[in-house]
Amino acid sequence: MNYKELYKSKLISLDEAINKVKSNYEIAVGLGAAEATGFLSNLHKIKSKVENVSVITCLNMGNYEFCSNPEMNGHFINETWFYSGLARKSHKFETVSLIPSHLHFAAKKRLNYKKPNIFVGTATPMDKHGYFSLSLSVTYEREYIENADIVILEINENLPRTYGDTAVHISEVDFVYEYKSPLIELPSIEPNEKDITIGNYISELIEDGSTLQLGIGAIPNAVTKALSNKKDLGIHTEMFTDGIVDLYNEGVVTNRRKSINKNKFIASFALGTKKLYDFIDNNLSVEFKSAAYTNDPYIIGQNYKMVSINTSIQVDLTGQCCSESIGFTQYSGTGGQADTAIGSQNSNGGKSIITLYSTAKQDTISTIVPFINLGAAVSLSRNDVDYVVTEYGVAKLSGRSIRESKRVNKYSSS
Ligand code: COA
Protein backbone atom coordinates (compact mmCIF):
# COMPACT_ATOMS: atom_id res chain seq x y z
CA MET A 1 0.00 0.00 0.00
CA ASN A 2 1.26 3.45 -0.88
CA TYR A 3 0.45 5.39 2.27
CA LYS A 4 1.58 8.68 0.81
CA GLU A 5 -1.06 8.37 -1.92
CA LEU A 6 -3.69 7.44 0.65
CA TYR A 7 -2.68 10.48 2.72
CA LYS A 8 -2.99 12.73 -0.33
CA SER A 9 -6.45 11.37 -1.08
CA LYS A 10 -7.58 12.29 2.45
CA LEU A 11 -5.92 15.69 2.59
CA ILE A 12 -8.41 18.57 2.83
CA SER A 13 -8.21 22.21 3.88
CA LEU A 14 -9.06 23.47 7.36
CA ASP A 15 -12.14 25.22 5.91
CA GLU A 16 -13.31 21.97 4.36
CA ALA A 17 -12.88 20.23 7.71
CA ILE A 18 -14.93 22.87 9.51
CA ASN A 19 -17.64 22.76 6.87
CA LYS A 20 -18.26 19.09 7.66
CA VAL A 21 -19.97 20.28 10.87
CA LYS A 22 -23.77 20.28 10.63
CA SER A 23 -26.56 21.39 12.95
CA ASN A 24 -27.18 19.13 15.97
CA TYR A 25 -23.82 17.40 15.52
CA GLU A 26 -21.77 16.10 18.42
CA ILE A 27 -18.13 16.86 17.70
CA ALA A 28 -15.19 16.13 19.98
CA VAL A 29 -11.61 17.38 20.15
CA GLY A 30 -8.50 16.30 22.06
CA LEU A 31 -7.63 17.31 25.62
CA GLY A 32 -5.53 20.28 26.77
CA ALA A 33 -2.40 20.74 24.67
CA ALA A 34 -3.79 18.12 22.25
CA GLU A 35 -6.79 20.24 21.31
CA ALA A 36 -7.18 21.08 17.61
CA THR A 37 -6.35 24.78 17.79
CA GLY A 38 -6.81 25.42 14.07
CA PHE A 39 -10.26 23.88 14.11
CA LEU A 40 -11.45 25.46 17.35
CA SER A 41 -10.17 28.94 16.58
CA ASN A 42 -12.10 29.00 13.28
CA LEU A 43 -15.24 27.09 14.22
CA HIS A 44 -17.24 30.25 15.02
CA LYS A 45 -17.00 31.26 11.35
CA ILE A 46 -19.78 28.80 10.41
CA LYS A 47 -22.09 30.18 13.10
CA SER A 48 -24.76 31.34 10.63
CA LYS A 49 -24.96 27.86 9.07
CA VAL A 50 -25.37 25.71 12.21
CA GLU A 51 -27.42 25.38 15.36
CA ASN A 52 -27.10 23.31 18.49
CA VAL A 53 -23.64 21.85 17.90
CA SER A 54 -22.11 20.15 20.96
CA VAL A 55 -18.34 20.47 21.19
CA ILE A 56 -16.90 17.91 23.61
CA THR A 57 -13.69 19.18 25.21
CA CYS A 58 -11.56 18.83 28.32
CA LEU A 59 -9.26 21.44 29.87
CA ASN A 60 -9.39 23.95 27.01
CA MET A 61 -6.13 25.82 26.72
CA GLY A 62 -7.04 28.33 24.01
CA ASN A 63 -9.46 31.23 23.98
CA TYR A 64 -12.02 30.29 21.33
CA GLU A 65 -14.77 32.48 19.99
CA PHE A 66 -17.22 29.59 19.45
CA CYS A 67 -17.59 29.67 23.21
CA SER A 68 -16.33 33.04 24.49
CA ASN A 69 -18.60 35.12 22.26
CA PRO A 70 -22.15 35.38 23.71
CA GLU A 71 -23.55 35.50 20.16
CA MET A 72 -22.62 31.82 19.78
CA ASN A 73 -25.37 30.83 22.22
CA GLY A 74 -27.74 28.45 20.42
CA HIS A 75 -25.15 27.69 17.75
CA PHE A 76 -22.43 25.97 19.79
CA ILE A 77 -22.23 24.57 23.28
CA ASN A 78 -18.89 23.59 24.80
CA GLU A 79 -19.70 20.45 26.82
CA THR A 80 -16.57 19.90 28.84
CA TRP A 81 -15.22 17.52 31.42
CA PHE A 82 -12.98 20.17 32.96
CA TYR A 83 -13.37 23.94 33.21
CA SER A 84 -10.34 26.12 32.55
CA GLY A 85 -10.07 29.84 31.78
CA LEU A 86 -12.24 29.70 28.63
CA ALA A 87 -15.11 27.85 30.30
CA ARG A 88 -15.01 30.01 33.44
CA LYS A 89 -15.21 33.14 31.33
CA SER A 90 -17.93 31.79 29.03
CA HIS A 91 -20.19 30.22 31.67
CA LYS A 92 -22.36 33.33 32.00
CA PHE A 93 -23.11 33.23 28.25
CA GLU A 94 -24.53 29.71 28.59
CA THR A 95 -22.16 28.50 25.88
CA VAL A 96 -20.53 25.95 28.17
CA SER A 97 -21.68 23.14 30.43
CA LEU A 98 -19.84 20.63 32.63
CA ILE A 99 -20.06 16.86 32.10
CA PRO A 100 -19.50 15.57 35.64
CA SER A 101 -17.49 12.35 35.55
CA HIS A 102 -14.50 10.61 37.00
CA LEU A 103 -11.88 10.77 34.28
CA HIS A 104 -11.50 7.02 33.91
CA PHE A 105 -15.21 6.76 33.04
CA ALA A 106 -15.46 9.96 31.00
CA ALA A 107 -15.26 8.57 27.46
CA LYS A 108 -17.20 5.40 28.23
CA LYS A 109 -20.11 7.23 29.83
CA ARG A 110 -20.38 9.93 27.18
CA LEU A 111 -20.10 7.42 24.36
CA ASN A 112 -22.84 5.31 25.95
CA TYR A 113 -24.99 8.43 25.96
CA LYS A 114 -24.14 9.87 22.54
CA LYS A 115 -21.96 8.81 19.64
CA PRO A 116 -19.85 11.57 18.08
CA ASN A 117 -20.46 12.62 14.49
CA ILE A 118 -16.94 14.01 14.19
CA PHE A 119 -13.73 13.65 16.17
CA VAL A 120 -10.95 16.13 15.44
CA GLY A 121 -7.62 15.08 16.92
CA THR A 122 -4.11 16.43 16.66
CA ALA A 123 -1.23 14.30 15.46
CA THR A 124 2.33 14.29 14.22
CA PRO A 125 3.02 13.87 10.50
CA MET A 126 2.57 10.29 9.24
CA ASP A 127 5.55 7.91 9.25
CA LYS A 128 6.57 5.57 6.42
CA HIS A 129 4.33 2.81 7.83
CA GLY A 130 1.24 5.01 7.66
CA TYR A 131 1.12 5.82 11.38
CA PHE A 132 0.53 9.15 13.13
CA SER A 133 1.23 9.70 16.81
CA LEU A 134 -1.56 11.29 18.87
CA SER A 135 1.31 12.93 20.74
CA LEU A 136 0.15 14.87 23.80
CA SER A 137 -2.98 13.02 24.91
CA VAL A 138 -4.73 9.67 24.63
CA THR A 139 -6.93 10.34 27.65
CA TYR A 140 -10.11 9.62 25.62
CA GLU A 141 -8.98 10.35 22.05
CA ARG A 142 -8.57 6.70 20.97
CA GLU A 143 -12.06 5.78 22.14
CA TYR A 144 -13.42 8.72 20.14
CA ILE A 145 -11.51 7.68 17.03
CA GLU A 146 -13.06 4.24 17.32
CA ASN A 147 -16.59 5.63 17.72
CA ALA A 148 -16.85 8.76 15.58
CA ASP A 149 -18.60 8.68 12.19
CA ILE A 150 -15.91 10.96 10.77
CA VAL A 151 -12.33 11.09 12.07
CA ILE A 152 -10.26 14.13 11.15
CA LEU A 153 -6.66 14.77 12.22
CA GLU A 154 -5.03 18.19 12.45
CA ILE A 155 -1.41 17.49 11.52
CA ASN A 156 1.06 19.68 13.35
CA GLU A 157 4.71 19.04 12.61
CA ASN A 158 5.73 20.63 15.93
CA LEU A 159 4.11 17.89 17.99
CA PRO A 160 6.42 15.38 19.71
CA ARG A 161 6.17 11.77 18.60
CA THR A 162 5.13 9.79 21.66
CA TYR A 163 4.57 6.11 22.44
CA GLY A 164 2.13 3.90 24.27
CA ASP A 165 -1.34 3.78 22.72
CA THR A 166 -0.77 6.88 20.60
CA ALA A 167 -0.43 5.26 17.17
CA VAL A 168 -3.25 5.86 14.67
CA HIS A 169 -3.12 4.44 11.19
CA ILE A 170 -4.10 6.43 8.09
CA SER A 171 -6.70 3.75 7.33
CA GLU A 172 -8.55 4.68 10.55
CA VAL A 173 -8.78 8.33 9.53
CA ASP A 174 -11.26 9.91 7.10
CA PHE A 175 -9.57 13.27 6.55
CA VAL A 176 -6.39 15.12 7.44
CA TYR A 177 -5.47 18.79 7.18
CA GLU A 178 -2.13 20.38 7.92
CA TYR A 179 -1.92 23.14 10.48
CA LYS A 180 1.47 24.08 11.85
CA SER A 181 1.07 25.91 15.14
CA PRO A 182 3.25 26.47 18.21
CA LEU A 183 2.72 23.94 20.97
CA ILE A 184 0.43 24.96 23.79
CA GLU A 185 2.54 25.50 26.89
CA LEU A 186 1.67 25.73 30.58
CA PRO A 187 4.58 27.37 32.39
CA SER A 188 5.48 26.04 35.84
CA ILE A 189 5.16 28.50 38.67
CA GLU A 190 8.08 28.96 41.07
CA PRO A 191 7.10 27.56 44.48
CA ASN A 192 6.37 30.13 47.21
CA GLU A 193 7.06 29.72 50.93
CA LYS A 194 3.77 27.87 51.58
CA ASP A 195 4.43 25.48 48.70
CA ILE A 196 7.86 24.66 50.11
CA THR A 197 6.43 24.00 53.59
CA ILE A 198 3.68 21.79 52.12
CA GLY A 199 6.21 20.04 49.88
CA ASN A 200 8.35 19.20 52.89
CA TYR A 201 5.39 17.71 54.79
CA ILE A 202 4.44 15.63 51.77
CA SER A 203 8.02 14.53 51.27
CA GLU A 204 7.95 12.99 54.77
CA LEU A 205 5.02 10.82 53.67
CA ILE A 206 6.74 9.48 50.55
CA GLU A 207 8.98 6.45 50.93
CA ASP A 208 11.73 5.44 48.53
CA GLY A 209 10.38 3.11 45.85
CA SER A 210 6.92 4.74 45.84
CA THR A 211 5.03 5.37 42.61
CA LEU A 212 3.52 8.85 42.26
CA GLN A 213 0.52 10.49 40.67
CA LEU A 214 0.75 14.27 40.60
CA GLY A 215 -2.42 16.24 39.94
CA ILE A 216 -3.11 19.54 38.28
CA GLY A 217 -2.29 22.86 39.94
CA ALA A 218 0.56 24.77 41.45
CA ILE A 219 1.12 22.68 44.59
CA PRO A 220 1.66 19.20 43.08
CA ASN A 221 4.24 20.60 40.69
CA ALA A 222 5.94 22.44 43.56
CA VAL A 223 6.01 19.23 45.61
CA THR A 224 8.43 17.73 43.11
CA LYS A 225 11.02 20.27 44.30
CA ALA A 226 10.90 18.75 47.80
CA LEU A 227 11.62 15.22 46.66
CA SER A 228 15.25 15.51 45.61
CA ASN A 229 16.42 13.28 48.48
CA LYS A 230 14.19 10.33 47.40
CA LYS A 231 15.28 7.23 45.55
CA ASP A 232 13.77 5.05 42.85
CA LEU A 233 10.39 6.73 42.57
CA GLY A 234 8.06 5.65 39.80
CA ILE A 235 5.42 7.57 37.82
CA HIS A 236 1.87 6.43 37.11
CA THR A 237 -0.17 9.57 36.56
CA GLU A 238 -2.82 11.10 34.33
CA MET A 239 -0.95 14.37 33.79
CA PHE A 240 2.74 14.41 32.84
CA THR A 241 4.35 17.68 33.96
CA ASP A 242 7.67 19.51 33.90
CA GLY A 243 8.25 18.63 37.56
CA ILE A 244 8.40 14.94 36.65
CA VAL A 245 11.13 15.64 34.09
CA ASP A 246 13.13 17.46 36.79
CA LEU A 247 12.80 14.46 39.11
CA TYR A 248 14.04 12.16 36.36
CA ASN A 249 16.98 14.44 35.57
CA GLU A 250 17.93 14.49 39.26
CA GLY A 251 17.96 10.68 39.31
CA VAL A 252 15.03 10.57 41.75
CA VAL A 253 12.59 8.92 39.34
CA THR A 254 13.90 5.69 37.85
CA ASN A 255 10.66 3.64 37.53
CA ARG A 256 12.86 0.65 38.45
CA ARG A 257 10.92 -0.45 41.51
CA LYS A 258 7.46 -0.22 39.96
CA SER A 259 5.36 -3.33 40.43
CA ILE A 260 3.52 -2.86 37.10
CA ASN A 261 4.82 -1.14 33.95
CA LYS A 262 8.35 -1.48 35.33
CA ASN A 263 10.88 0.98 33.86
CA LYS A 264 8.09 3.00 32.23
CA PHE A 265 6.51 6.37 32.88
CA ILE A 266 2.73 5.94 32.55
CA ALA A 267 0.50 8.94 31.78
CA SER A 268 -2.57 9.84 29.74
CA PHE A 269 -1.63 13.38 28.74
CA ALA A 270 1.24 15.87 28.91
CA LEU A 271 0.93 19.56 29.70
CA GLY A 272 3.90 21.77 30.41
CA THR A 273 6.71 23.54 28.59
CA LYS A 274 9.13 22.77 25.78
CA LYS A 275 11.33 21.00 28.33
CA LEU A 276 8.60 18.42 28.84
CA TYR A 277 7.72 18.10 25.16
CA ASP A 278 11.39 17.56 24.25
CA PHE A 279 11.65 14.91 26.96
CA ILE A 280 8.69 12.85 25.76
CA ASP A 281 9.62 13.14 22.07
CA ASN A 282 10.70 9.72 20.76
CA ASN A 283 11.16 8.52 24.35
CA LEU A 284 10.49 4.80 24.58
CA SER A 285 10.32 4.91 28.37
CA VAL A 286 7.17 7.08 28.30
CA GLU A 287 3.88 5.31 27.58
CA PHE A 288 0.69 7.28 27.10
CA LYS A 289 -2.46 5.30 27.79
CA SER A 290 -6.17 6.03 27.99
CA ALA A 291 -7.50 7.36 31.29
CA ALA A 292 -9.64 4.20 31.30
CA TYR A 293 -6.32 2.51 32.16
CA THR A 294 -4.19 5.13 33.95
CA ASN A 295 -7.05 6.20 36.20
CA ASP A 296 -8.78 2.90 36.83
CA PRO A 297 -8.59 2.62 40.65
CA TYR A 298 -8.06 -1.14 40.32
CA ILE A 299 -5.05 -0.66 37.98
CA ILE A 300 -3.65 2.19 40.08
CA GLY A 301 -3.90 -0.03 43.14
CA GLN A 302 -1.62 -2.63 41.56
CA ASN A 303 1.28 -0.22 41.97
CA TYR A 304 3.21 -0.84 45.16
CA LYS A 305 3.29 2.17 47.56
CA MET A 306 1.22 4.31 45.22
CA VAL A 307 0.93 7.93 46.38
CA SER A 308 -1.56 10.33 44.79
CA ILE A 309 -1.16 14.07 45.34
CA ASN A 310 -4.03 16.36 44.37
CA THR A 311 -5.29 19.79 45.28
CA SER A 312 -8.57 21.00 46.69
CA ILE A 313 -10.34 24.34 47.05
CA GLN A 314 -12.25 23.71 50.27
CA VAL A 315 -12.28 20.85 52.79
CA ASP A 316 -14.83 20.55 55.57
CA LEU A 317 -14.19 19.17 59.03
CA THR A 318 -15.69 15.81 58.13
CA GLY A 319 -13.24 15.49 55.20
CA GLN A 320 -15.45 16.37 52.19
CA CYS A 321 -13.18 17.84 49.52
CA CYS A 322 -14.65 20.47 47.19
CA SER A 323 -11.97 20.67 44.56
CA GLU A 324 -13.78 21.93 41.49
CA SER A 325 -16.19 24.69 42.45
CA ILE A 326 -16.23 27.83 44.55
CA GLY A 327 -19.74 27.62 45.93
CA PHE A 328 -22.10 27.53 42.94
CA THR A 329 -19.36 28.65 40.55
CA GLN A 330 -17.83 25.80 38.58
CA TYR A 331 -14.06 26.33 38.64
CA SER A 332 -12.42 23.17 37.23
CA GLY A 333 -13.53 19.52 37.30
CA THR A 334 -13.19 16.30 39.23
CA GLY A 335 -10.73 14.94 36.68
CA GLY A 336 -8.96 12.02 38.26
CA GLN A 337 -9.10 13.23 41.83
CA ALA A 338 -11.35 10.49 43.18
CA ASP A 339 -9.97 7.86 40.75
CA THR A 340 -6.45 8.36 42.01
CA ALA A 341 -7.34 8.86 45.67
CA ILE A 342 -9.27 5.61 45.75
CA GLY A 343 -6.72 3.82 43.54
CA SER A 344 -3.78 4.76 45.72
CA GLN A 345 -5.58 3.48 48.81
CA ASN A 346 -6.16 0.18 47.00
CA SER A 347 -2.39 -0.12 46.78
CA ASN A 348 -0.22 -2.05 49.19
CA GLY A 349 1.40 0.72 51.26
CA GLY A 350 -0.44 3.39 49.26
CA LYS A 351 -1.51 6.88 50.36
CA SER A 352 -3.80 9.55 48.99
CA ILE A 353 -2.84 13.12 49.75
CA ILE A 354 -5.14 16.11 49.30
CA THR A 355 -3.31 19.38 49.70
CA LEU A 356 -4.33 23.02 49.82
CA TYR A 357 -3.37 26.31 51.42
CA SER A 358 -5.32 26.81 54.62
CA THR A 359 -6.52 30.22 53.44
CA ALA A 360 -7.51 31.90 50.17
CA LYS A 361 -8.24 35.41 48.92
CA GLN A 362 -5.17 37.04 50.51
CA ASP A 363 -5.75 35.20 53.79
CA THR A 364 -9.25 36.62 54.20
CA ILE A 365 -11.02 33.24 54.19
CA SER A 366 -10.26 29.82 55.56
CA THR A 367 -10.36 26.86 53.18
CA ILE A 368 -10.74 24.37 56.04
CA VAL A 369 -14.32 24.97 57.05
CA PRO A 370 -17.06 23.57 59.27
CA PHE A 371 -19.48 23.47 56.34
CA ILE A 372 -18.87 23.45 52.63
CA ASN A 373 -20.23 26.48 50.80
CA LEU A 374 -23.80 26.37 49.58
CA GLY A 375 -23.74 24.98 46.03
CA ALA A 376 -20.19 23.55 46.27
CA ALA A 377 -19.52 20.24 44.51
CA VAL A 378 -17.87 17.45 46.50
CA SER A 379 -15.13 15.98 44.30
CA LEU A 380 -13.76 13.54 46.88
CA SER A 381 -16.16 12.19 49.45
CA ARG A 382 -15.24 11.99 53.14
CA ASN A 383 -15.44 8.20 52.79
CA ASP A 384 -12.47 8.30 50.42
CA VAL A 385 -10.27 10.99 51.93
CA ASP A 386 -6.97 9.84 53.44
CA TYR A 387 -4.38 12.56 54.23
CA VAL A 388 -5.04 16.32 54.09
CA VAL A 389 -1.93 18.51 54.09
CA THR A 390 -1.78 22.30 54.49
CA GLU A 391 1.10 24.60 55.44
CA TYR A 392 0.13 23.86 59.07
CA GLY A 393 0.81 20.15 58.83
CA VAL A 394 -0.65 16.74 58.05
CA ALA A 395 -4.07 15.41 59.06
CA LYS A 396 -4.56 11.66 58.61
CA LEU A 397 -8.31 11.20 58.38
CA SER A 398 -8.93 7.73 56.95
CA GLY A 399 -10.02 5.01 59.32
CA ARG A 400 -10.66 7.45 62.12
CA SER A 401 -13.97 8.47 63.58
CA ILE A 402 -14.79 12.14 63.47
CA ARG A 403 -14.04 12.27 67.22
CA GLU A 404 -10.68 10.48 66.84
CA SER A 405 -9.48 12.73 64.10
CA LYS A 406 -10.29 15.73 66.26
CA ARG A 407 -12.73 16.96 63.70
CA VAL A 408 -15.31 17.57 66.43
CA ASN A 409 -16.45 21.12 66.77
CA LYS A 410 -19.62 22.80 67.78
CA TYR A 411 -21.10 22.07 64.36
CA SER A 412 -20.52 18.33 64.25
CA SER A 413 -22.75 15.86 65.97
CA SER A 414 -20.66 12.68 66.17
N1 COA B 1 -12.88 30.04 48.36
C1 COA B 1 -12.78 30.94 47.38
N2 COA B 1 -11.76 30.95 46.49
C2 COA B 1 -10.82 30.04 46.64
C3 COA B 1 -10.84 29.07 47.64
C4 COA B 1 -11.92 29.10 48.54
N3 COA B 1 -12.03 28.20 49.51
N4 COA B 1 -9.75 28.29 47.53
C5 COA B 1 -9.07 28.73 46.47
N5 COA B 1 -9.71 29.79 45.95
C6 COA B 1 -9.29 30.54 44.77
C7 COA B 1 -7.86 30.97 44.86
O1 COA B 1 -7.74 32.19 45.58
C8 COA B 1 -7.54 31.12 43.38
O2 COA B 1 -8.12 32.28 42.85
P1 COA B 1 -7.21 33.57 42.47
O3 COA B 1 -6.31 33.06 41.37
O4 COA B 1 -8.21 34.55 42.03
O5 COA B 1 -6.47 33.89 43.73
C9 COA B 1 -8.29 29.93 42.78
O6 COA B 1 -9.35 29.64 43.68
C10 COA B 1 -7.43 28.68 42.63
O7 COA B 1 -6.22 29.02 42.11
P2 COA B 1 -5.56 28.35 40.85
O8 COA B 1 -4.25 29.02 40.62
O9 COA B 1 -6.53 28.30 39.72
O10 COA B 1 -5.34 26.89 41.43
P3 COA B 1 -4.48 25.71 40.91
O11 COA B 1 -4.08 25.89 39.49
O12 COA B 1 -3.43 25.45 41.91
O13 COA B 1 -5.56 24.51 40.92
C11 COA B 1 -7.46 23.36 41.77
C12 COA B 1 -6.20 24.15 42.10
C13 COA B 1 -8.04 22.84 43.08
C14 COA B 1 -8.48 24.23 41.06
C15 COA B 1 -7.06 22.16 40.84
O14 COA B 1 -6.07 21.42 41.47
C16 COA B 1 -8.22 21.25 40.53
O15 COA B 1 -9.00 21.55 39.64
N6 COA B 1 -8.37 20.13 41.26
C17 COA B 1 -9.45 19.19 41.04
C18 COA B 1 -9.14 18.14 40.01
C19 COA B 1 -8.00 17.24 40.37
O16 COA B 1 -7.37 17.32 41.39
N7 COA B 1 -7.74 16.31 39.49
C20 COA B 1 -6.71 15.33 39.74
C21 COA B 1 -5.75 15.03 38.73
S1 COA B 1 -5.37 16.18 37.45
Side-chain angles (χ1 to χ4, degrees), residues 59 82-83 88 103 189 213-220 237-239 269 295 309-315 322-327 331-338 340 354-362 365-369 373 379:
L59 191 62
F82 203 96
Y83 271 45
R88 284 172 209 147
L103 198 65
I189 302 162
Q213 173 266 335
L214 294 155
I216 192 162
I219 307 178
T237 191
E238 73 187 53
M239 178 167 164
F269 70 93
N295 280 31
I309 303 164
N310 293 303
T311 315
S312 194
I313 288 175
Q314 188 177 58
V315 179
C322 301
S323 311
E324 62 187 277
S325 75
I326 300 172
Y331 190 76
S332 57
T334 294
Q337 182 156 124
T340 53
I354 292 294
T355 173
L356 70 172
Y357 303 149
S358 66
T359 59
K361 301 275 163 218
Q362 282 83 41
I365 53 171
S366 178
T367 60
I368 309 293
V369 290
N373 284 0
S379 313

Side-chain angles (χ1 to χ4, degrees), residues 275-294:
K275 172 169 74 180
L276 169 64
Y277 302 145
D278 285 346
F279 179 77
I280 61 179
D281 184 40
N282 263 315
N283 188 334
L284 284 170
S285 72
V286 181
E287 287 198 1
F288 286 92
K289 290 184 172 294
S290 164
Y293 178 86
T294 59

